């Protein structure tokens, strides 16, 4: 994958509107992100709590959650 070209003032792509379940957000997706982190030298994901925290962080980054508008 090539390095993205970042532009100052570009409109944000994330977070995405959250309209319900997204088939792209799967166990395989979270596993691929975890594997990429390990490939870059981060510790392996062995505790269920670490896996859950990664899943939560990815969802928070990817999707807009309506209850954040308080």
């Amino acid at each position: 994958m090539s390095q993205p070209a970042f532009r100052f003032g570009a409109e944000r792509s994330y977070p995405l509107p959250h309209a319900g379940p997204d088939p792209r957000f799967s166990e395989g997706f979270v596993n691929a992100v975890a594997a990429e982190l390990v490939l870059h030298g981060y510790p392996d994901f062995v505790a269920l709590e670490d896996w859950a925290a990664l899943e939560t962080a990815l969802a928070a980054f990817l999707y807009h959650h309506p209850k954040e508008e308080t």
Side-chain angles (χ1 to χ4, degrees), residues 37-68:
L37 289 169
V38 171
L39 188 66
H40 284 273
Y42 289 92
D44 201 0
F45 288 76
V46 293
L48 184 58
E49 291 82 0
D50 291 336
W51 188 270
L54 176 61
E55 204 169 34
T56 300
L58 286 170
F61 171 75
L62 290 171
Y63 304 109
H64 172 74
H65 299 278
K67 64 183 171 187
E68 293 174 351

Side-chain angles (χ1 to χ4, degrees), residues 3 5-8 12 15 17-19 22 25-26 30 32-34 37 49 58 66 68:
Q3 183 68 20
F6 297 108
R7 294 176 292 145
F8 289 104
R12 290 189 62 180
H18 191 267
D22 184 344
F25 196 88
S26 64
V30 178
V33 173
L37 289 169
E49 291 82 0
L58 286 170
E68 293 174 351

